Amino acid sequence: MRRDRVQSGGSVSGFYSPPQYVNRDVVWSTTGSPTVTTDGNFTVVEWSGNGSLVVDYGVLREVQFLLVAGGGGGLTSNLTARTGGGGGGGTLISSSTDSLTLKPGTYNVTIGTGGAASSNGGNSSFGDFTVAGGGSGGGNTASAGGSGGGSNASGAGIGFAGQGNNGGNGTSTGAGGGGGKGAVGGTGTSNVGGNGGTGVTSSITGTSLGYAGGGGGGGATTSGTGTDGGGNGGTTGSGGNGVRGGGGGGVRTNATGGSGGNGLLVIRFPL
């Protein structure tokens, strides 16, 4: 697989419209039962589980893609006076106007699952590309990951260099939010949980959606809000679950953190 100036982070939108029928003579197939749709003059293929893309004949050109890892779970708090941090978003890589040229061969797809409460998310891969799952939310110390989980002290999880952002720190009554692909998790304050860090917005499927954001931290009176697929923090019950690689929400006390969102792969190419 060849990569031409692939971009990561920021907003991924405004996909260009190349001439129709660029790939008219290419023969390709998939495994893993992805969803295949058409958006204007483009074919869009989305995997939510493991599989592969097989280029049987010809060269598949101008392939844009979005690869997302699983989000980390929010912390489960078993203590009566401690809040839990939000999970970090699973990081991602993407292309917009720059694209891949795929020669005949098999390009394997591995999709990371979202982490259960207090667990890291799984890595995702497409051919030679790999992205790291988000770190789980924590108490005094949160887990590192593609983006790190939030903490209810000063031990927020570290986001892996070049992939994501750190989680937010907090207090015993207001935990930090998980980090996202686009920003550090919000800081928790007295009785108020931090918001999840922003992820990335992409219109690669034809619909603008947020991916790989952090989960909100738990708060004694007000919990943090998850962003770009991250789950909201819970104040009176469990934390919210993430989607599209977002981190799970943390909790107030004696409750279960939200699960991270599963990863995914979307590819898009002209007909």
Side-chain angles (χ1 to χ4, degrees):
M1 176 184 293
R2 180 169 68 86
R3 182 174 76 171
D4 297 330
R5 302 184 304 280
V6 172
Q7 301 173 349
S8 62
S11 179
V12 183
S13 60
F15 288 92
Y16 74 120
S17 298
Q20 198 172 5
Y21 306 132
V22 169
N23 294 304
R24 177 176 54 187
D25 297 326
V26 179
V27 179
W28 58 275
S29 58
T30 63
T31 66
S33 301
T35 301
V36 182
T37 58
T38 300
D39 179 38
N41 293 332
F42 292 87
T43 296
V44 178
V45 188
E46 180 172 350
W47 284 263
S48 57
N50 298 341
S52 65
L53 169 69
V54 182
V55 181
D56 300 292
Y57 174 82
V59 177
L60 194 60
R61 302 181 185 279
E62 301 177 16
V63 180
Q64 303 154 11
F65 76 101
L66 177 70
L67 177 66
V68 184
L75 178 70
T76 291
S77 178
N78 296 318
L79 302 175
T80 58
R82 281 288 199 181
T83 54
T91 193
L92 59 81
I93 53 177
S94 61
S95 65
S96 53
T97 55
D98 295 332
S99 56
L100 305 176
T101 298
L102 302 181
K103 297 179 179 180
T106 299
Y107 301 88
N108 291 322
V109 176
T110 301
I111 302 300
T113 57
S118 302
S119 299
N120 286 10
N123 298 346
S124 292
S125 63
F126 172 45
D128 295 335
F129 300 101
T130 299
V131 289
S136 64
N140 291 333
T141 304
S143 295
S147 288
S151 164
N152 64 18
S154 58
I158 302 299
F160 293 155
Q163 295 214 26
N165 287 283
N166 298 348
N169 291 318
T171 70
S172 62
T173 59
K181 174 61 180 177
V184 173
T187 299
T189 58
S190 179
N191 297 321
V192 179
N195 294 333
T198 57
V200 166
T201 301
S202 173
S203 58
I204 191 170
T205 64
T207 300
S208 181
L209 295 170
Y211 300 83
T221 59
T222 304
S223 288
T225 300
T227 60
D228 292 328
N232 294 332
T235 298
T236 59
S238 299
N241 295 330
V243 295
R244 299 186 300 278
V251 295
R252 180 183 178 185
T253 56
N254 287 319
T256 302
S259 298
N262 293 334
L264 54 90
L265 168 70
V266 181
I267 65 170
R268 175 187 176 96
F269 51 87
L271 301 172

